[in-house]
Amino acid sequence: MKRYSLMIALLFMGFSLAAQNVCPVIPLPVKAEQGRGTFTISSKTTIGLEDTSLHSLAVYLQEELLRRYQLSVAITHRKSATAILLKKGNGSSNEEAYTLTMNTASAVITAAHREGIFNGIISLLQLTTTVTTPGKALTVPCWNITDAPQYGWRGVMLDESRFFFGKAKVKSILNWMAFYKLNRFHWHLTDVPGWRLEIKKYPLLTTVGGIGNIVDPKAPAAYYTQEDIREIVAYAQARCIVVIPEIDMPGHAAAANRAYPAFDGGGTAKYPQFTFNPGKEGTYQYLADILTETDKLFPSQLIHLGGDEVTFGNAGWDTDSGVIRLKAAHGLQTRKQVEDYFIQRMADTVFNLHNKVMAWDEIATTTLPADRTIVCWWRHDKPESLALALGKGYSVVLCPRIPFYFDFVQDSAHKIGRRWKDGELNNLQSVYDFTAARLPAVPGHESLILGVQACIWTETVHNNNRLDFLLFPRIAALSETAWTPPGQKDFIAFKARLKTQQALYAKDSLYYFDIFSPGRHTESGQSRTDYID
């Protein structure tokens, strides 16, 4: 009965949108015109290829039609009565641009690059979700779409140091990211509560450093083996998602220091063992070994070094003999200068591995090659950090706490989660309405803004339901903010399209926050107040 009700809801909302001549795709395409008639996908439909390099994308579409609708379609190079055609063609210099042209006999996806073809496939799949008859055939309204994203970086960050979710949940998130054309998965794998990435040269990082989480410091070790990482990275690549690992340093190092205390740079009573020791030469080789193994697992050619909140636990540097010698040898006067020295040395390791370096906005004070440095601007209350990064020519990903920290409260009735000092909410509309143009530092530096990213820190996220509750439906608003030009966005129209999406969340057994009926799902999880902000 529940499945039947969901089917009726999807049908009703799909017909409603079609009647309003509103393209139901999220994110909203740059240009979409409704065509005449419908295109039927059935077991007689084929997926046609003109270029064998697109075969893996055809397989993805084939598998999705089978998974979603139990429809088995063939991949072929021959023509058929009804066909989905994947074509490489000349066009936009934007590698993610595509066109989708539909009539009663065919749905043709054309793009110059693999990523564009994939985006066209996703738009077609989203159209199939609006009007369906599972098990028989899909009668899809015809749309003609010409589309390309506003930003090349459309990201989600997940913190698994504080709470470990595991492969199945990560793959679910990657599926939904792909569905919304989000293409960067920033994976926060190391921090104070736990180290989640196997490093074969230093096995205690996971067997000792992997013990515990934000709820239970004695929880059994939980981590990803290198084989797990390869599996997830390949899964993401099939969905045109790049995975960026974060190995946090020189702060947030407590889990690593529990495993290998020889490299401990000290901390405070509140944040013990918080830093790596910048005064020990062995620290740099130790971390270089870790980054070398990390590089072999992630083909992104980009490693995030953290670099944030070091002041929470670096007071011991003032009295550490090694750090005192380092300061004297290099003319460093302050802890911040020591921190910048450390980051610059570890960045050199990343560069030598033929990677770019990424870090939080505290690294804006360092001197690094502009063409190989990406800054995540997260401190919305420190616009000067954004201005400094842009002034140095660093590329920037915008992920300000307000509105892009999804662990912040999204509704005034909610009691669990973080709130900023003035009580401002990170609700659906604040995510949707965000535009870089309103940031004083951005005008004149637009070319340095790579895109936007939501971050899910897990101090208050201790189970899958809580994660779903924070991510859905804000992930949909994020996708449209990242993809669609501001002048084409309309929040009221977006909410109308979102109704269909919420039915899909229910179908996928997600514990989402229902903005139309807030009481449907109550908050899940437990509150903590001793997190690092």
Coordinates of all heavy atoms in Angstrom, one line a residue, residues 419-476:
R419 N 23.9 26.5 16.0 CA 23.4 27.8 15.6 C 24.5 28.8 15.7 O 25.3 28.8 16.5 CB 22.3 28.2 16.6 CG 21.0 27.3 16.6 CD 20.0 27.7 17.7 NE 18.9 26.8 17.8 CZ 17.7 27.1 17.1 NH1 17.6 28.2 16.4 NH2 16.7 26.2 17.2
W420 N 24.4 29.8 14.8 CA 25.4 30.9 14.8 C 24.9 31.8 15.9 O 23.8 31.8 16.4 CB 25.5 31.5 13.4 CG 26.6 32.5 13.4 CD1 26.6 33.8 13.1 CD2 28.0 32.2 13.6 NE1 27.8 34.4 13.1 CE2 28.7 33.4 13.5 CE3 28.7 31.1 14.0 CZ2 30.1 33.5 13.6 CZ3 30.1 31.2 14.1 CH2 30.8 32.4 14.0
K421 N 25.8 32.8 16.2 CA 25.6 33.6 17.4 C 24.3 34.4 17.4 O 23.7 34.6 18.4 CB 26.8 34.6 17.5 CG 28.1 33.9 17.8 CD 29.3 34.8 17.6 CE 30.6 34.0 17.8 NZ 31.8 34.9 17.5
D422 N 23.9 34.8 16.2 CA 22.7 35.6 16.1 C 21.5 34.8 15.8 O 20.4 35.3 15.6 CB 22.8 36.7 15.0 CG 23.1 36.1 13.6 OD1 23.1 34.8 13.5 OD2 23.3 36.8 12.6
G423 N 21.6 33.4 15.9 CA 20.5 32.5 15.7 C 20.0 32.3 14.3 O 19.0 31.7 14.0
E424 N 20.8 32.8 13.3 CA 20.5 32.7 11.9 C 20.4 31.2 11.5 O 21.2 30.4 11.9 CB 21.5 33.4 11.1 CG 21.1 33.6 9.6 CD 22.1 34.5 8.9 OE1 23.0 35.0 9.5 OE2 21.9 34.6 7.6
L425 N 19.4 30.9 10.7 CA 19.1 29.5 10.3 C 19.7 29.3 8.9 O 19.8 30.2 8.1 CB 17.6 29.3 10.2 CG 16.8 29.4 11.5 CD1 15.3 29.3 11.2 CD2 17.3 28.4 12.6
N426 N 20.2 28.1 8.7 CA 20.6 27.6 7.4 C 19.4 26.9 6.8 O 19.5 25.6 6.6 CB 21.8 26.7 7.5 CG 23.1 27.5 7.7 OD1 23.0 28.8 7.8 ND2 24.2 26.9 7.8
N427 N 18.3 27.6 6.5 CA 17.2 26.9 6.0 C 17.3 26.8 4.5 O 18.2 27.2 3.8 CB 15.9 27.7 6.4 CG 15.9 29.1 5.9 OD1 16.5 29.5 4.9 ND2 15.1 29.9 6.6
L428 N 16.3 26.1 3.9 CA 16.3 25.8 2.5 C 16.4 27.1 1.6 O 17.2 27.1 0.7 CB 15.0 25.1 2.1 CG 14.9 24.5 0.7 CD1 15.8 23.3 0.5 CD2 13.5 24.2 0.3
Q429 N 15.7 28.1 2.0 CA 15.7 29.3 1.2 C 17.1 30.0 1.3 O 17.6 30.5 0.3 CB 14.6 30.3 1.5 CG 14.6 31.5 0.6 CD 13.3 32.3 0.7 OE1 12.4 31.9 1.4 NE2 13.2 33.3 -0.2
S430 N 17.7 30.0 2.4 CA 19.0 30.6 2.5 C 20.1 29.9 1.7 O 20.9 30.6 1.1 CB 19.5 30.7 4.0 OG 19.8 29.4 4.5
V431 N 20.0 28.6 1.6 CA 20.9 27.9 0.7 C 20.6 28.2 -0.8 O 21.5 28.5 -1.6 CB 20.7 26.4 0.9 CG1 21.6 25.6 -0.1 CG2 21.1 26.0 2.3
Y432 N 19.3 28.3 -1.1 CA 18.9 28.5 -2.5 C 19.2 30.0 -2.9 O 19.6 30.2 -4.1 CB 17.4 28.3 -2.6 CG 16.9 28.4 -4.0 CD1 16.9 27.2 -4.8 CD2 16.4 29.5 -4.6 CE1 16.5 27.3 -6.2 CE2 16.0 29.6 -5.9 CZ 16.0 28.4 -6.7 OH 15.6 28.5 -8.0
D433 N 19.1 30.9 -2.0 CA 19.3 32.3 -2.4 C 20.7 32.8 -2.4 O 21.0 33.9 -2.8 CB 18.5 33.2 -1.4 CG 17.0 33.2 -1.7 OD1 16.6 32.7 -2.7 OD2 16.2 33.6 -0.8
F434 N 21.6 31.9 -1.9 CA 23.0 32.4 -1.9 C 23.5 32.7 -3.3 O 23.3 32.0 -4.3 CB 23.9 31.2 -1.3 CG 25.4 31.6 -1.3 CD1 25.9 32.3 -0.2 CD2 26.2 31.2 -2.4 CE1 27.3 32.7 -0.2 CE2 27.6 31.6 -2.3 CZ 28.1 32.3 -1.3
T435 N 24.3 33.8 -3.3 CA 25.0 34.2 -4.6 C 26.3 34.8 -4.2 O 26.4 35.6 -3.3 CB 24.1 35.1 -5.5 OG1 24.9 35.5 -6.6 CG2 23.6 36.3 -4.7
A436 N 27.3 34.5 -5.0 CA 28.7 35.0 -4.7 C 28.7 36.5 -5.0 O 29.5 37.2 -4.4 CB 29.7 34.3 -5.6
A437 N 27.8 37.0 -5.8 CA 27.9 38.4 -6.2 C 27.6 39.3 -5.0 O 28.0 40.5 -5.0 CB 26.8 38.7 -7.2
R438 N 27.0 38.8 -3.9 CA 26.7 39.6 -2.7 C 27.9 39.7 -1.8 O 27.9 40.5 -0.8 CB 25.5 39.1 -1.9 CG 24.2 39.1 -2.7 CD 23.0 38.9 -1.8 NE 21.8 38.7 -2.5 CZ 21.2 37.5 -2.6 NH1 21.7 36.5 -1.9 NH2 20.1 37.4 -3.2
L439 N 29.0 39.0 -2.1 CA 30.2 39.0 -1.2 C 31.1 40.2 -1.7 O 31.5 40.2 -2.8 CB 30.9 37.7 -1.3 CG 30.1 36.5 -0.8 CD1 30.9 35.2 -1.1 CD2 29.8 36.5 0.6
P440 N 31.4 41.1 -0.8 CA 32.1 42.3 -1.3 C 33.5 42.0 -1.9 O 33.9 42.8 -2.8 CB 32.4 43.1 0.0 CG 31.2 42.6 0.9 CD 31.0 41.2 0.6
A441 N 34.1 40.9 -1.6 CA 35.5 40.6 -2.1 C 35.4 40.0 -3.5 O 36.4 40.0 -4.2 CB 36.2 39.6 -1.2
V442 N 34.2 39.5 -4.0 CA 34.2 38.8 -5.2 C 34.2 39.6 -6.5 O 34.9 39.3 -7.4 CB 32.9 37.9 -5.2 CG1 32.7 37.3 -6.6 CG2 33.1 36.8 -4.2
P443 N 33.5 40.7 -6.6 CA 33.5 41.5 -7.8 C 35.0 41.8 -8.3 O 35.8 42.3 -7.5 CB 32.8 42.8 -7.5 CG 31.8 42.4 -6.4 CD 32.6 41.4 -5.6
G444 N 35.2 41.5 -9.5 CA 36.6 41.6 -10.1 C 37.4 40.4 -10.0 O 38.4 40.3 -10.6
H445 N 36.9 39.4 -9.2 CA 37.7 38.1 -9.0 C 36.8 36.9 -9.3 O 37.0 35.8 -8.9 CB 38.2 38.0 -7.6 CG 39.2 39.0 -7.2 ND1 38.8 40.1 -6.4 CD2 40.5 39.1 -7.4 CE1 39.9 40.9 -6.2 NE2 40.9 40.3 -6.8
E446 N 35.7 37.1 -10.1 CA 34.8 36.1 -10.4 C 35.5 34.8 -11.0 O 35.0 33.7 -10.7 CB 33.7 36.6 -11.3 CG 32.7 37.5 -10.7 CD 33.2 39.0 -10.8 OE1 34.4 39.2 -11.2 OE2 32.4 39.9 -10.4
S447 N 36.5 35.0 -11.8 CA 37.2 33.9 -12.4 C 37.9 33.0 -11.4 O 38.2 31.8 -11.8 CB 38.1 34.4 -13.5 OG 39.2 35.1 -12.9
L448 N 38.1 33.5 -10.2 CA 38.8 32.7 -9.2 C 37.8 31.8 -8.4 O 38.3 31.0 -7.6 CB 39.6 33.6 -8.3 CG 40.8 34.3 -8.9 CD1 41.5 35.2 -7.9 CD2 41.8 33.3 -9.5
I449 N 36.5 32.1 -8.5 CA 35.5 31.3 -7.7 C 35.2 30.0 -8.5 O 34.6 30.0 -9.6 CB 34.2 32.2 -7.5 CG1 34.6 33.5 -6.8 CG2 33.2 31.3 -6.7 CD1 35.2 33.4 -5.5
L450 N 35.7 28.9 -7.9 CA 35.5 27.6 -8.6 C 34.1 27.2 -8.5 O 33.5 26.5 -9.3 CB 36.4 26.6 -8.0 CG 37.9 26.9 -8.2 CD1 38.7 25.7 -7.6 CD2 38.3 27.1 -9.6
G451 N 33.4 27.5 -7.3 CA 32.1 27.0 -7.1 C 31.7 27.1 -5.6 O 32.3 27.8 -4.8
V452 N 30.7 26.2 -5.3 CA 30.2 26.2 -3.9 C 30.2 24.8 -3.4 O 30.1 23.8 -4.1 CB 28.8 26.9 -3.8 CG1 28.8 28.3 -4.2 CG2 27.8 26.1 -4.7
Q453 N 30.1 24.7 -2.0 CA 30.1 23.4 -1.4 C 29.4 23.4 -0.1 O 29.5 24.4 0.7 CB 31.6 22.9 -1.2 CG 31.8 21.6 -0.4 CD 33.2 21.2 -0.4 OE1 33.8 20.8 -1.4 NE2 33.8 21.3 0.8
A454 N 28.6 22.4 0.2 CA 28.0 22.2 1.5 C 28.9 21.3 2.3 O 29.5 20.4 1.8 CB 26.6 21.6 1.4
C455 N 28.9 21.6 3.6 CA 29.7 20.8 4.6 C 28.8 20.2 5.6 O 28.0 20.9 6.2 CB 30.8 21.6 5.2 SG 32.0 22.3 4.0
I456 N 29.0 18.9 5.9 CA 28.3 18.2 6.9 C 29.2 17.7 8.0 O 29.9 16.7 7.8 CB 27.4 17.0 6.4 CG1 26.6 17.4 5.2 CG2 26.5 16.4 7.5 CD1 25.9 16.3 4.5
W457 N 29.4 18.5 9.0 CA 30.2 18.1 10.2 C 29.3 17.3 11.1 O 28.1 17.5 11.2 CB 30.7 19.3 10.9 CG 31.6 20.2 10.0 CD1 31.3 21.3 9.4 CD2 33.0 19.9 9.7 NE1 32.3 21.8 8.7 CE2 33.4 21.0 8.8 CE3 33.9 18.9 10.0 CZ2 34.7 21.0 8.3 CZ3 35.1 19.0 9.5 CH2 35.5 20.0 8.6
T458 N 29.9 16.3 11.8 CA 29.1 15.3 12.4 C 29.2 15.3 13.9 O 28.9 14.2 14.5 CB 29.4 13.9 11.8 OG1 30.8 13.6 11.9 CG2 29.0 13.8 10.4
E459 N 29.4 16.4 14.5 CA 29.4 16.5 16.0 C 28.0 16.1 16.5 O 27.8 15.5 17.6 CB 29.7 17.9 16.5 CG 31.2 18.3 16.4 CD 31.5 19.0 15.1 OE1 30.7 18.9 14.2 OE2 32.5 19.6 15.0
T460 N 26.9 16.4 15.7 CA 25.6 16.2 16.2 C 24.9 15.1 15.2 O 23.7 15.0 15.2 CB 24.7 17.4 16.2 OG1 24.6 17.9 14.8 CG2 25.4 18.5 17.1
V461 N 25.7 14.4 14.5 CA 25.1 13.4 13.5 C 25.6 12.1 13.9 O 26.8 11.7 13.6 CB 25.5 13.8 12.1 CG1 24.8 12.9 11.1 CG2 25.2 15.3 11.8
H462 N 24.8 11.2 14.4 CA 25.2 10.0 15.0 C 24.5 8.7 14.4 O 24.7 7.6 14.9 CB 25.0 10.0 16.5 CG 25.6 11.2 17.2 ND1 25.0 11.7 18.3 CD2 26.6 12.0 16.8 CE1 25.7 12.8 18.7 NE2 26.7 13.0 17.8
N463 N 23.8 9.0 13.3 CA 23.1 7.8 12.7 C 22.7 8.3 11.3 O 22.7 9.5 10.9 CB 21.9 7.3 13.5 CG 21.0 8.4 13.8 OD1 20.4 9.1 12.9 ND2 20.7 8.7 15.1
N464 N 22.3 7.3 10.4 CA 21.9 7.6 9.1 C 20.7 8.5 9.0 O 20.6 9.4 8.1 CB 21.7 6.3 8.3 CG 22.9 5.6 8.0 OD1 24.0 6.1 8.2 ND2 22.8 4.4 7.5
N465 N 19.7 8.3 9.9 CA 18.5 9.2 9.8 C 18.9 10.6 10.0 O 18.3 11.5 9.3 CB 17.5 8.7 10.9 CG 16.7 7.5 10.5 OD1 16.9 7.0 9.4 ND2 15.9 7.0 11.4
R466 N 19.7 10.9 11.0 CA 20.1 12.3 11.2 C 20.8 12.9 10.0 O 20.6 14.0 9.7 CB 21.0 12.3 12.5 CG 21.6 13.7 12.8 CD 20.6 14.6 13.3 NE 21.1 15.9 13.7 CZ 20.4 17.1 13.8 NH1 19.1 17.1 13.6 NH2 21.0 18.2 14.1
L467 N 21.7 12.1 9.4 CA 22.4 12.6 8.2 C 21.4 12.9 7.1 O 21.5 13.9 6.5 CB 23.4 11.5 7.7 CG 24.3 11.8 6.5 CD1 25.1 13.1 6.8 CD2 25.2 10.6 6.2
D468 N 20.4 12.0 6.9 CA 19.4 12.3 5.9 C 18.7 13.6 6.2 O 18.4 14.4 5.3 CB 18.4 11.1 5.8 CG 19.0 9.8 5.3 OD1 20.1 9.9 4.7 OD2 18.3 8.8 5.5
F469 N 18.3 13.7 7.4 CA 17.5 14.8 7.9 C 18.2 16.2 7.6 O 17.5 17.2 7.2 CB 17.2 14.7 9.4 CG 16.2 15.6 9.9 CD1 14.8 15.3 9.8 CD2 16.5 16.8 10.6 CE1 13.8 16.1 10.3 CE2 15.5 17.6 11.1 CZ 14.2 17.3 11.0
L470 N 19.5 16.2 7.7 CA 20.2 17.4 7.4 C 20.5 17.6 5.9 O 20.6 18.8 5.5 CB 21.5 17.4 8.2 CG 21.4 17.4 9.7 CD1 22.8 17.2 10.4 CD2 20.7 18.6 10.3
L471 N 20.7 16.6 5.2 CA 21.1 16.7 3.8 C 19.9 16.9 2.9 O 20.0 17.6 1.9 CB 21.8 15.4 3.4 CG 22.5 15.4 2.1 CD1 23.5 16.6 2.0 CD2 23.3 14.1 1.9
F472 N 18.8 16.3 3.2 CA 17.6 16.3 2.3 C 16.5 17.2 2.9 O 16.1 16.9 4.0 CB 17.1 14.9 2.0 CG 18.1 14.1 1.3 CD1 18.9 13.2 2.1 CD2 18.3 14.1 -0.1 CE1 19.9 12.4 1.5 CE2 19.2 13.2 -0.7 CZ 20.0 12.4 0.1
P473 N 16.0 18.2 2.2 CA 16.1 18.5 0.8 C 17.2 19.6 0.5 O 17.2 20.1 -0.7 CB 14.7 19.0 0.4 CG 14.3 19.7 1.6 CD 14.9 19.0 2.8
R474 N 18.0 20.0 1.5 CA 18.9 21.1 1.2 C 19.9 20.8 0.1 O 20.3 21.7 -0.6 CB 19.6 21.6 2.5 CG 18.7 22.3 3.4 CD 19.5 22.9 4.6 NE 19.9 21.8 5.5 CZ 20.5 22.1 6.7 NH1 20.7 23.3 7.1 NH2 20.9 21.1 7.5
I475 N 20.2 19.5 -0.2 CA 21.1 19.2 -1.2 C 20.5 19.6 -2.6 O 21.3 19.9 -3.5 CB 21.4 17.6 -1.2 CG1 22.5 17.3 -2.2 CG2 20.1 16.8 -1.5 CD1 22.9 15.8 -2.1
A476 N 19.2 19.6 -2.7 CA 18.6 20.0 -4.0 C 18.7 21.5 -4.2 O 19.0 22.0 -5.3 CB 17.1 19.6 -4.0

